[in-house]
Amino acid sequence: MLGRALTSVIWGLVADRYGRKPVILIGTASVVVFNTLFGLSLNFWMAIITRFCLGSFNGLLGPIKAYAMEIFRDEYQGLALSAVSTAWGIGLIIGPAIGGFLAQPAKQYPSLFSQDSIFGKFPYFLPCFAISIFAFLVTIISLWIPETLHNHKFDDVQSFDAVKDDTESNKVAEKNEKSSLLNNWPLVSSIIVYCIFSLHDMAYSEIFSLWANSPRKYGGLGYTTADVGSVLAISGFGLLIFQLSLYSYAERNLGPIIVTRISGSLALVVLSTYPLIAKLSGVALTLTVNSASVAKNVLSTSAITGLFILQNKAVRQDQRGAANGIAMTAMSFFKAIGPAAAGIIFSWSEKRQNAYFLPGTQMVFIILNVVLALGVLMTFKPFLAETQH
């Protein structure tokens, strides 16, 4: 996330100048290289450096949102951006699921993987390698996608000269582009709200796995990593169905701000039930935790999709790469804080089992709800502004 924060604006400007496709290809290719090296890390610092490089070279999430807006007509842009946020949401769910199923294969599947093999020496290489193979296939497929950044052809010398003069003035304009984007309050306000929701989302993802995996005596579910993987996989499937079928309908009828507001408010209710879910067992626990996980992930992704739409509608096409780059930079700082803060708060809560006020994991879910409530409050005027076309 730190690497991404430092380079997202640069990749956004590159996408506005040279096109979306080159940035997309470099991003997916970087996953192949650095994710594989991460799985083969010999020490902590190699792991840190490979992750930093992965973030630095992977600037595709900003341009891919611009790309999605540009290949759909206006009335289907909700569907376009819901596809992007669904892909992100499913990655956030399926990624840990793959980790749960494929990590430490020599220990989990001793009949298939020997302790003396590469998978025994590098217990986390298999999930990384599986994702790298997927990224390699995506890179190959992406060679055939069309470029969407408008490149105008010149019919005669006069039009060429006009564009040449225009290019000179654009060089001056580009210097002011970033400052003009930062003065665009509909863009800036939607980015700030997006950062709050992203912070909550990353912290929730971290806490859910820790909570589900921790022993019952500490208020957790006592699940194995494979059990957690199964819950996350089911959540990913539910999210895919909802986002690609119902989200665009809701967005067209209600608008992105209302969808974000309602989704955030309902997510507050769902999250409040988590400490009670830990008191269940057997089939009741399985059904309830899966239902709650699907609902929570659908609502979080719907809220963030609405903010994607607001950001991309707040700027011209030639500014979308840079605008999404600024959003990615800000969001990356918040997402870097999320997992670390969540881990610290969760560890602290497990030491408070007998506290008088909000014992154990109750405190964790209250803190998550406070962050989410702040995000919901910020979707109201005068803070969040929508561009009027």
Side-chain angles (χ1 to χ4, degrees):
M1 286 299 168
L2 179 60
R4 184 179 288 173
L6 296 175
T7 60
S8 286
V9 173
I10 297 166
W11 286 119
L13 293 169
V14 169
D16 283 342
R17 172 67 72 85
Y18 300 106
R20 319 305 190 199
K21 187 174 175 178
V23 178
I24 292 167
L25 288 170
I26 292 167
T28 54
S30 71
V31 176
V32 178
V33 176
F34 295 113
N35 202 54
T36 303
L37 289 173
F38 175 67
L40 295 169
S41 293
L42 299 168
N43 54 51
F44 178 70
W45 285 107
M46 182 177 171
I48 290 286
I49 291 165
T50 52
R51 292 299 288 175
F52 178 80
C53 290
L54 179 56
S56 299
F57 283 92
N58 200 332
L60 72 81
L61 192 55
I64 207 81
K65 285 183 276 185
Y67 188 92
M69 290 285 283
E70 290 156 9
I71 58 173
F72 279 80
R73 294 203 307 267
D74 285 357
E75 64 266 33
Y76 294 113
Q77 286 178 350
L79 175 63
L81 287 173
S82 74
V84 174
S85 55
T86 300
W88 171 258
I90 288 174
L92 215 56
I93 296 162
I94 299 295
I98 290 171
F101 290 127
L102 300 183
Q104 299 176 310
K107 187 177 173 184
Q108 287 203 79
Y109 317 107
S111 59
L112 294 173
F113 300 95
S114 164
Q115 284 286 357
D116 298 323
S117 69
I118 189 170
F119 301 110
K121 291 173 185 171
F122 297 98
Y124 300 99
F125 176 59
L126 184 58
C128 292
F129 186 58
I131 291 163
S132 293
I133 290 171
F134 177 67
F136 178 73
L137 294 173
V138 170
T139 306
I140 298 301
I141 293 165
S142 298
L143 292 170
W144 282 273
I145 64 171
E147 178 57 71
T148 58
L149 186 68
H150 292 319
N151 292 315
H152 300 286
K153 293 181 179 176
F154 311 116
D155 294 325
D156 52 44
V157 175
Q158 189 178 5
S159 65
F160 179 79
D161 288 341
V163 173
K164 190 178 174 185
D165 292 341
D166 205 36
T167 304
E168 295 299 319
S169 62
N170 279 350
K171 286 180 182 175
V172 178
E174 263 185 26
K175 291 179 184 176
N176 300 321
E177 182 176 340
K178 200 185 292 185
S179 60
S180 69
L181 287 174
L182 295 176
N183 290 329
N184 180 338
W185 182 245
L187 173 67
V188 172
S189 62
S190 63
I191 288 174
I192 293 169
V193 179
Y194 173 49
C195 287
I196 300 296
F197 275 95
S198 294
L199 172 66
H200 167 82
D201 218 25
M202 284 298 276
Y204 168 79
S205 296
E206 181 81 5
I207 281 169
F208 180 82
S209 295
L210 291 171
W211 171 68
N213 202 223
S214 67
R216 305 281 296 196
K217 64 179 180 179
Y218 291 126
L221 304 183
Y223 275 18
T224 64
T225 51
D227 291 335
V228 177
S230 297
V231 174
L232 294 172
I234 291 166
S235 297
F237 185 68
L239 177 63
L240 179 66
I241 292 170
F242 176 83
Q243 286 290 115
L244 298 184
S245 59
L246 298 175
Y247 178 82
S248 61
Y249 177 79
E251 190 271 329
R252 281 202 303 273
N253 284 281
L254 299 172
I257 290 181
I258 300 296
V259 169
T260 296
R261 200 175 290 158
I262 292 172
S263 298
S265 302
L266 291 174
L268 283 167
V269 177
V270 173
L271 202 53
S272 301
T273 66
Y274 275 48
L276 302 174
I277 291 172
K279 299 184 187 303
L280 301 172
S281 60
V283 178
L285 172 61
T286 304
L287 288 173
T288 310
V289 77
N290 277 289
S291 301
S293 181
V294 170
K296 175 67 180 65
N297 283 293
V298 162
L299 293 167
S300 291
T301 306
S302 298
I304 283 174
T305 305
L307 296 166
F308 280 174
I309 293 168
L310 291 174
Q311 287 165 26
N312 282 276
K313 285 188 172 178
V315 292
R316 304 188 311 266
Q317 190 211 15
D318 62 320
Q319 294 179 315
R320 276 190 192 135
N324 280 300
I326 292 168
M328 285 297 299
T329 296
M331 175 270 283
S332 295
F333 279 119
F334 278 79
K335 283 196 170 181
I337 297 165
I344 291 165
I345 291 167
F346 191 83
S347 299
W348 170 65
S349 75
E350 291 205 325
K351 296 169 187 168
R352 302 180 67 258
Q353 294 302 315
N354 300 314
Y356 179 73
F357 179 68
L358 297 173
T361 52
Q362 287 183 34
M363 177 60 82
V364 176
F365 292 114
I366 284 291
I367 292 170
L368 279 176
N369 260 348
V370 167
V371 175
L372 184 56
L374 176 63
V376 172
L377 284 172
M378 290 169 82
T379 64
F380 289 89
K381 290 179 178 179
F383 189 83
L384 186 62
E386 188 172 9
T387 305
Q388 301 298 322
H389 292 291

